[in-house]
Structures are given as structure tokens and as C-alpha cells.
Amino acid sequence: YGALPQYLSAYGYDTVLLIAKAVADGARNRAEVQAWLSSEKSKAVEDVPLATPYAGFSAHREPAGQPWLLRMENGVFTTLVNP
């Protein structure tokens, strides 16, 4: 509160939106949310205004996509590999 958000704030924001979508799709408990996140259904989230790219999770709870971070300095974007 009262400070600029850090890049991890976007992941927290997206987490809340994805859990809300899982619940709206019928998940009623932790196991069902986990199953939803691992399903193909979770990859169809075009109607959810996520802040980060999302590719779903594997059955082993690993992110299907890799996070990335950009920095803009003097009007030029730089990819930060190890933030």
C-alpha cells in the first residue's frame, strides 16, 4: 500500500483471478482448484484480464510457461533473464 507494485505483485493479482475463474467453473475445494489449473480448461482464459502471460500448469504443478521480466530504460526495453 502506498508504493509502486513490484513484478511479483502481478503474479499475486493473476493468482486471485485464476482461482476465482476456477471457482466460477465449479471448483469447490483446493483439490478441485488444483485439478482445474492442471486441465486444458484453465488455458482458455481469454476473458480473464491477467497481468502476465499464462500457459497453465502441468500435472506435476510446474508452470507450463516461463516467467519473464522487461525493463524500460531510455525508451528501450531490455529483457532481464535473472531479475
Side-chain angles (χ1 to χ4, degrees):
Y1 176 79
L4 291 175
Q6 299 295 313
Y7 74 96
L8 290 177
S9 300
Y11 291 115
Y13 174 84
D14 286 354
T15 299
V16 170
L17 292 180
L18 288 169
I19 291 171
K21 177 71 170 159
V23 170
D25 283 353
R28 296 172 307 210
N29 56 47
R30 183 179 181 165
E32 290 178 359
V33 169
Q34 177 191 345
W36 185 89
L37 287 169
S38 297
S39 73
E40 289 297 315
K41 196 176 209 181
S42 76
K43 295 175 187 165
V45 291
E46 296 85 19
D47 59 328
V48 180
L50 299 176
T52 62
Y54 178 72
F57 289 88
S58 73
H60 301 289
R61 302 183 192 177
E62 297 292 329
Q66 295 297 316
W68 50 272
L69 182 64
L70 299 175
R71 173 178 50 198
M72 180 181 230
E73 190 171 8
N74 299 323
V76 177
F77 284 107
T78 304
T79 302
L80 302 176
V81 177
N82 296 310

PDB file of all heavy atoms in Angstrom, residues 37-65:
ATOM      1  N   LEU A  37      -6.503 -26.032 -12.556  1.00  0.00           N
ATOM      2  CA  LEU A  37      -5.274 -25.393 -13.031  1.00  0.00           C
ATOM      3  C   LEU A  37      -4.449 -26.319 -13.929  1.00  0.00           C
ATOM      4  O   LEU A  37      -3.752 -25.852 -14.819  1.00  0.00           O
ATOM      5  CB  LEU A  37      -4.418 -24.926 -11.854  1.00  0.00           C
ATOM      6  CG  LEU A  37      -4.940 -23.709 -11.100  1.00  0.00           C
ATOM      7  CD1 LEU A  37      -4.162 -23.507  -9.812  1.00  0.00           C
ATOM      8  CD2 LEU A  37      -4.878 -22.468 -11.973  1.00  0.00           C
ATOM      9  N   SER A  38      -4.540 -27.621 -13.689  1.00  0.00           N
ATOM     10  CA  SER A  38      -3.793 -28.589 -14.493  1.00  0.00           C
ATOM     11  C   SER A  38      -4.541 -29.013 -15.748  1.00  0.00           C
ATOM     12  O   SER A  38      -4.005 -29.751 -16.562  1.00  0.00           O
ATOM     13  CB  SER A  38      -3.480 -29.830 -13.656  1.00  0.00           C
ATOM     14  OG  SER A  38      -2.651 -29.484 -12.582  1.00  0.00           O
ATOM     15  N   SER A  39      -5.768 -28.562 -15.898  1.00  0.00           N
ATOM     16  CA  SER A  39      -6.586 -29.003 -17.027  1.00  0.00           C
ATOM     17  C   SER A  39      -6.432 -28.080 -18.223  1.00  0.00           C
ATOM     18  O   SER A  39      -5.928 -26.963 -18.124  1.00  0.00           O
ATOM     19  CB  SER A  39      -8.060 -29.039 -16.612  1.00  0.00           C
ATOM     20  OG  SER A  39      -8.566 -27.716 -16.488  1.00  0.00           O
ATOM     21  N   GLU A  40      -6.903 -28.563 -19.350  1.00  0.00           N
ATOM     22  CA  GLU A  40      -6.921 -27.741 -20.567  1.00  0.00           C
ATOM     23  C   GLU A  40      -7.865 -26.557 -20.402  1.00  0.00           C
ATOM     24  O   GLU A  40      -7.668 -25.509 -21.008  1.00  0.00           O
ATOM     25  CB  GLU A  40      -7.361 -28.590 -21.767  1.00  0.00           C
ATOM     26  CG  GLU A  40      -6.311 -29.597 -22.207  1.00  0.00           C
ATOM     27  CD  GLU A  40      -5.036 -28.929 -22.701  1.00  0.00           C
ATOM     28  OE1 GLU A  40      -5.117 -27.959 -23.471  1.00  0.00           O
ATOM     29  OE2 GLU A  40      -3.959 -29.387 -22.298  1.00  0.00           O
ATOM     30  N   LYS A  41      -8.868 -26.727 -19.552  1.00  0.00           N
ATOM     31  CA  LYS A  41      -9.850 -25.666 -19.337  1.00  0.00           C
ATOM     32  C   LYS A  41      -9.189 -24.388 -18.813  1.00  0.00           C
ATOM     33  O   LYS A  41      -9.572 -23.284 -19.163  1.00  0.00           O
ATOM     34  CB  LYS A  41     -10.893 -26.154 -18.342  1.00  0.00           C
ATOM     35  CG  LYS A  41     -12.145 -25.354 -18.303  1.00  0.00           C
ATOM     36  CD  LYS A  41     -13.131 -26.017 -17.349  1.00  0.00           C
ATOM     37  CE  LYS A  41     -14.533 -25.719 -17.767  1.00  0.00           C
ATOM     38  NZ  LYS A  41     -15.522 -26.309 -16.888  1.00  0.00           N
ATOM     39  N   SER A  42      -8.152 -24.537 -17.991  1.00  0.00           N
ATOM     40  CA  SER A  42      -7.506 -23.360 -17.414  1.00  0.00           C
ATOM     41  C   SER A  42      -6.744 -22.550 -18.454  1.00  0.00           C
ATOM     42  O   SER A  42      -6.446 -21.380 -18.241  1.00  0.00           O
ATOM     43  CB  SER A  42      -6.546 -23.764 -16.288  1.00  0.00           C
ATOM     44  OG  SER A  42      -5.347 -24.315 -16.798  1.00  0.00           O
ATOM     45  N   LYS A  43      -6.412 -23.166 -19.570  1.00  0.00           N
ATOM     46  CA  LYS A  43      -5.667 -22.451 -20.615  1.00  0.00           C
ATOM     47  C   LYS A  43      -6.577 -21.563 -21.461  1.00  0.00           C
ATOM     48  O   LYS A  43      -6.098 -20.714 -22.196  1.00  0.00           O
ATOM     49  CB  LYS A  43      -4.918 -23.439 -21.487  1.00  0.00           C
ATOM     50  CG  LYS A  43      -3.846 -24.178 -20.704  1.00  0.00           C
ATOM     51  CD  LYS A  43      -3.172 -25.237 -21.522  1.00  0.00           C
ATOM     52  CE  LYS A  43      -2.245 -26.041 -20.630  1.00  0.00           C
ATOM     53  NZ  LYS A  43      -1.827 -27.256 -21.242  1.00  0.00           N
ATOM     54  N   ALA A  44      -7.890 -21.744 -21.329  1.00  0.00           N
ATOM     55  CA  ALA A  44      -8.858 -20.940 -22.082  1.00  0.00           C
ATOM     56  C   ALA A  44      -9.338 -19.800 -21.199  1.00  0.00           C
ATOM     57  O   ALA A  44     -10.476 -19.773 -20.762  1.00  0.00           O
ATOM     58  CB  ALA A  44     -10.014 -21.814 -22.531  1.00  0.00           C
ATOM     59  N   VAL A  45      -8.453 -18.869 -20.916  1.00  0.00           N
ATOM     60  CA  VAL A  45      -8.781 -17.769 -20.006  1.00  0.00           C
ATOM     61  C   VAL A  45      -8.708 -16.419 -20.717  1.00  0.00           C
ATOM     62  O   VAL A  45      -8.363 -15.412 -20.122  1.00  0.00           O
ATOM     63  CB  VAL A  45      -7.853 -17.773 -18.764  1.00  0.00           C
ATOM     64  CG1 VAL A  45      -8.127 -18.965 -17.874  1.00  0.00           C
ATOM     65  CG2 VAL A  45      -6.402 -17.711 -19.167  1.00  0.00           C
ATOM     66  N   GLU A  46      -9.086 -16.408 -21.986  1.00  0.00           N
ATOM     67  CA  GLU A  46      -9.029 -15.166 -22.761  1.00  0.00           C
ATOM     68  C   GLU A  46      -9.897 -14.076 -22.155  1.00  0.00           C
ATOM     69  O   GLU A  46      -9.624 -12.895 -22.325  1.00  0.00           O
ATOM     70  CB  GLU A  46      -9.450 -15.402 -24.217  1.00  0.00           C
ATOM     71  CG  GLU A  46      -8.542 -16.308 -24.996  1.00  0.00           C
ATOM     72  CD  GLU A  46      -8.868 -17.782 -24.803  1.00  0.00           C
ATOM     73  OE1 GLU A  46      -9.992 -18.116 -24.367  1.00  0.00           O
ATOM     74  OE2 GLU A  46      -7.984 -18.603 -25.073  1.00  0.00           O
ATOM     75  N   ASP A  47     -10.958 -14.461 -21.444  1.00  0.00           N
ATOM     76  CA  ASP A  47     -11.877 -13.483 -20.866  1.00  0.00           C
ATOM     77  C   ASP A  47     -11.417 -12.980 -19.493  1.00  0.00           C
ATOM     78  O   ASP A  47     -12.063 -12.133 -18.895  1.00  0.00           O
ATOM     79  CB  ASP A  47     -13.281 -14.077 -20.758  1.00  0.00           C
ATOM     80  CG  ASP A  47     -13.323 -15.330 -19.897  1.00  0.00           C
ATOM     81  OD1 ASP A  47     -12.330 -16.081 -19.881  1.00  0.00           O
ATOM     82  OD2 ASP A  47     -14.352 -15.574 -19.249  1.00  0.00           O
ATOM     83  N   VAL A  48     -10.296 -13.486 -18.992  1.00  0.00           N
ATOM     84  CA  VAL A  48      -9.771 -13.062 -17.698  1.00  0.00           C
ATOM     85  C   VAL A  48      -8.638 -12.064 -17.948  1.00  0.00           C
ATOM     86  O   VAL A  48      -7.688 -12.381 -18.659  1.00  0.00           O
ATOM     87  CB  VAL A  48      -9.252 -14.271 -16.885  1.00  0.00           C
ATOM     88  CG1 VAL A  48      -8.698 -13.825 -15.545  1.00  0.00           C
ATOM     89  CG2 VAL A  48     -10.346 -15.298 -16.692  1.00  0.00           C
ATOM     90  N   PRO A  49      -8.730 -10.847 -17.376  1.00  0.00           N
ATOM     91  CA  PRO A  49      -7.725  -9.811 -17.644  1.00  0.00           C
ATOM     92  C   PRO A  49      -6.434 -10.016 -16.841  1.00  0.00           C
ATOM     93  O   PRO A  49      -6.147  -9.292 -15.891  1.00  0.00           O
ATOM     94  CB  PRO A  49      -8.438  -8.528 -17.234  1.00  0.00           C
ATOM     95  CG  PRO A  49      -9.364  -8.951 -16.139  1.00  0.00           C
ATOM     96  CD  PRO A  49      -9.809 -10.346 -16.534  1.00  0.00           C
ATOM     97  N   LEU A  50      -5.648 -11.016 -17.216  1.00  0.00           N
ATOM     98  CA  LEU A  50      -4.411 -11.323 -16.497  1.00  0.00           C
ATOM     99  C   LEU A  50      -3.332 -10.288 -16.795  1.00  0.00           C
ATOM    100  O   LEU A  50      -3.277  -9.715 -17.877  1.00  0.00           O
ATOM    101  CB  LEU A  50      -3.921 -12.713 -16.880  1.00  0.00           C
ATOM    102  CG  LEU A  50      -4.872 -13.865 -16.559  1.00  0.00           C
ATOM    103  CD1 LEU A  50      -4.316 -15.173 -17.087  1.00  0.00           C
ATOM    104  CD2 LEU A  50      -5.140 -13.955 -15.073  1.00  0.00           C
ATOM    105  N   ALA A  51      -2.444 -10.095 -15.821  1.00  0.00           N
ATOM    106  CA  ALA A  51      -1.351  -9.137 -15.975  1.00  0.00           C
ATOM    107  C   ALA A  51      -0.107  -9.772 -16.581  1.00  0.00           C
ATOM    108  O   ALA A  51       0.768  -9.073 -17.062  1.00  0.00           O
ATOM    109  CB  ALA A  51      -1.001  -8.539 -14.615  1.00  0.00           C
ATOM    110  N   THR A  52      -0.019 -11.093 -16.551  1.00  0.00           N
ATOM    111  CA  THR A  52       1.169 -11.793 -17.055  1.00  0.00           C
ATOM    112  C   THR A  52       0.752 -12.848 -18.078  1.00  0.00           C
ATOM    113  O   THR A  52      -0.396 -13.296 -18.076  1.00  0.00           O
ATOM    114  CB  THR A  52       1.922 -12.496 -15.907  1.00  0.00           C
ATOM    115  OG1 THR A  52       1.070 -13.478 -15.306  1.00  0.00           O
ATOM    116  CG2 THR A  52       2.374 -11.505 -14.858  1.00  0.00           C
ATOM    117  N   PRO A  53       1.672 -13.277 -18.927  1.00  0.00           N
ATOM    118  CA  PRO A  53       1.355 -14.380 -19.853  1.00  0.00           C
ATOM    119  C   PRO A  53       1.050 -15.652 -19.053  1.00  0.00           C
ATOM    120  O   PRO A  53       1.694 -15.921 -18.048  1.00  0.00           O
ATOM    121  CB  PRO A  53       2.633 -14.551 -20.669  1.00  0.00           C
ATOM    122  CG  PRO A  53       3.401 -13.302 -20.475  1.00  0.00           C
ATOM    123  CD  PRO A  53       3.014 -12.769 -19.135  1.00  0.00           C
ATOM    124  N   TYR A  54       0.072 -16.416 -19.500  1.00  0.00           N
ATOM    125  CA  TYR A  54      -0.321 -17.621 -18.770  1.00  0.00           C
ATOM    126  C   TYR A  54      -0.471 -18.780 -19.737  1.00  0.00           C
ATOM    127  O   TYR A  54      -1.172 -18.673 -20.735  1.00  0.00           O
ATOM    128  CB  TYR A  54      -1.651 -17.381 -18.035  1.00  0.00           C
ATOM    129  CG  TYR A  54      -2.148 -18.597 -17.308  1.00  0.00           C
ATOM    130  CD1 TYR A  54      -1.515 -19.038 -16.162  1.00  0.00           C
ATOM    131  CD2 TYR A  54      -3.240 -19.311 -17.776  1.00  0.00           C
ATOM    132  CE1 TYR A  54      -1.960 -20.158 -15.488  1.00  0.00           C
ATOM    133  CE2 TYR A  54      -3.688 -20.435 -17.112  1.00  0.00           C
ATOM    134  CZ  TYR A  54      -3.049 -20.848 -15.968  1.00  0.00           C
ATOM    135  OH  TYR A  54      -3.481 -21.970 -15.310  1.00  0.00           O
ATOM    136  N   ALA A  55       0.185 -19.903 -19.417  1.00  0.00           N
ATOM    137  CA  ALA A  55       0.111 -21.091 -20.264  1.00  0.00           C
ATOM    138  C   ALA A  55      -0.372 -22.310 -19.494  1.00  0.00           C
ATOM    139  O   ALA A  55      -0.311 -23.417 -19.991  1.00  0.00           O
ATOM    140  CB  ALA A  55       1.482 -21.374 -20.877  1.00  0.00           C
ATOM    141  N   GLY A  56      -0.821 -22.124 -18.263  1.00  0.00           N
ATOM    142  CA  GLY A  56      -1.319 -23.237 -17.469  1.00  0.00           C
ATOM    143  C   GLY A  56      -0.227 -23.914 -16.661  1.00  0.00           C
ATOM    144  O   GLY A  56       0.900 -23.439 -16.572  1.00  0.00           O
ATOM    145  N   PHE A  57      -0.587 -25.059 -16.050  1.00  0.00           N
ATOM    146  CA  PHE A  57       0.322 -25.840 -15.231  1.00  0.00           C
ATOM    147  C   PHE A  57       0.308 -27.285 -15.694  1.00  0.00           C
ATOM    148  O   PHE A  57      -0.690 -27.772 -16.210  1.00  0.00           O
ATOM    149  CB  PHE A  57      -0.090 -25.788 -13.754  1.00  0.00           C
ATOM    150  CG  PHE A  57       0.140 -24.458 -13.103  1.00  0.00           C
ATOM    151  CD1 PHE A  57      -0.822 -23.473 -13.156  1.00  0.00           C
ATOM    152  CD2 PHE A  57       1.327 -24.205 -12.444  1.00  0.00           C
ATOM    153  CE1 PHE A  57      -0.618 -22.242 -12.560  1.00  0.00           C
ATOM    154  CE2 PHE A  57       1.546 -22.972 -11.845  1.00  0.00           C
ATOM    155  CZ  PHE A  57       0.571 -21.996 -11.903  1.00  0.00           C
ATOM    156  N   SER A  58       1.398 -27.980 -15.452  1.00  0.00           N
ATOM    157  CA  SER A  58       1.457 -29.403 -15.765  1.00  0.00           C
ATOM    158  C   SER A  58       0.779 -30.188 -14.647  1.00  0.00           C
ATOM    159  O   SER A  58       0.441 -29.631 -13.599  1.00  0.00           O
ATOM    160  CB  SER A  58       2.917 -29.849 -15.885  1.00  0.00           C
ATOM    161  OG  SER A  58       3.520 -29.889 -14.597  1.00  0.00           O
ATOM    162  N   ALA A  59       0.603 -31.469 -14.852  1.00  0.00           N
ATOM    163  CA  ALA A  59       0.031 -32.334 -13.823  1.00  0.00           C
ATOM    164  C   ALA A  59       0.939 -32.408 -12.596  1.00  0.00           C
ATOM    165  O   ALA A  59       0.508 -32.780 -11.516  1.00  0.00           O
ATOM    166  CB  ALA A  59      -0.210 -33.727 -14.382  1.00  0.00           C
ATOM    167  N   HIS A  60       2.210 -32.005 -12.765  1.00  0.00           N
ATOM    168  CA  HIS A  60       3.180 -32.017 -11.665  1.00  0.00           C
ATOM    169  C   HIS A  60       3.287 -30.644 -10.995  1.00  0.00           C
ATOM    170  O   HIS A  60       4.244 -30.378 -10.274  1.00  0.00           O
ATOM    171  CB  HIS A  60       4.545 -32.454 -12.169  1.00  0.00           C
ATOM    172  CG  HIS A  60       4.533 -33.813 -12.788  1.00  0.00           C
ATOM    173  ND1 HIS A  60       4.380 -34.963 -12.048  1.00  0.00           N
ATOM    174  CD2 HIS A  60       4.613 -34.205 -14.072  1.00  0.00           C
ATOM    175  CE1 HIS A  60       4.374 -36.011 -12.860  1.00  0.00           C
ATOM    176  NE2 HIS A  60       4.507 -35.575 -14.094  1.00  0.00           N
ATOM    177  N   ARG A  61       2.313 -29.770 -11.292  1.00  0.00           N
ATOM    178  CA  ARG A  61       2.226 -28.432 -10.702  1.00  0.00           C
ATOM    179  C   ARG A  61       3.357 -27.500 -11.131  1.00  0.00           C
ATOM    180  O   ARG A  61       3.677 -26.546 -10.448  1.00  0.00           O
ATOM    181  CB  ARG A  61       2.166 -28.500  -9.183  1.00  0.00           C
ATOM    182  CG  ARG A  61       1.015 -29.293  -8.646  1.00  0.00           C
ATOM    183  CD  ARG A  61       1.010 -29.233  -7.150  1.00  0.00           C
ATOM    184  NE  ARG A  61       0.092 -30.216  -6.613  1.00  0.00           N
ATOM    185  CZ  ARG A  61      -0.079 -30.423  -5.339  1.00  0.00           C
ATOM    186  NH1 ARG A  61       0.602 -29.733  -4.466  1.00  0.00           N
ATOM    187  NH2 ARG A  61      -0.922 -31.327  -4.927  1.00  0.00           N
ATOM    188  N   GLU A  62       3.959 -27.758 -12.239  1.00  0.00           N
ATOM    189  CA  GLU A  62       5.002 -26.890 -12.778  1.00  0.00           C
ATOM    190  C   GLU A  62       4.382 -25.930 -13.786  1.00  0.00           C
ATOM    191  O   GLU A  62       3.520 -26.328 -14.572  1.00  0.00           O
ATOM    192  CB  GLU A  62       6.088 -27.715 -13.474  1.00  0.00           C
ATOM    193  CG  GLU A  62       6.835 -28.653 -12.544  1.00  0.00           C
ATOM    194  CD  GLU A  62       7.691 -27.920 -11.542  1.00  0.00           C
ATOM    195  OE1 GLU A  62       8.194 -26.827 -11.857  1.00  0.00           O
ATOM    196  OE2 GLU A  62       7.846 -28.438 -10.427  1.00  0.00           O
ATOM    197  N   PRO A  63       4.802 -24.664 -13.798  1.00  0.00           N
ATOM    198  CA  PRO A  63       4.276 -23.743 -14.808  1.00  0.00           C
ATOM    199  C   PRO A  63       4.611 -24.233 -16.221  1.00  0.00           C
ATOM    200  O   PRO A  63       5.727 -24.676 -16.477  1.00  0.00           O
ATOM    201  CB  PRO A  63       4.998 -22.425 -14.516  1.00  0.00           C
ATOM    202  CG  PRO A  63       5.500 -22.551 -13.122  1.00  0.00           C
ATOM    203  CD  PRO A  63       5.741 -24.011 -12.887  1.00  0.00           C
ATOM    204  N   ALA A  64       3.642 -24.161 -17.104  1.00  0.00           N
ATOM    205  CA  ALA A  64       3.861 -24.589 -18.489  1.00  0.00           C
ATOM    206  C   ALA A  64       4.688 -23.565 -19.255  1.00  0.00           C
ATOM    207  O   ALA A  64       5.377 -23.901 -20.201  1.00  0.00           O
ATOM    208  CB  ALA A  64       2.524 -24.833 -19.186  1.00  0.00           C
ATOM    209  N   GLY A  65       4.637 -22.310 -18.853  1.00  0.00           N
ATOM    210  CA  GLY A  65       5.421 -21.261 -19.489  1.00  0.00           C
ATOM    211  C   GLY A  65       6.424 -20.706 -18.508  1.00  0.00           C
ATOM    212  O   GLY A  65       6.337 -20.920 -17.307  1.00  0.00           O
TER     213      GLY A  65
END
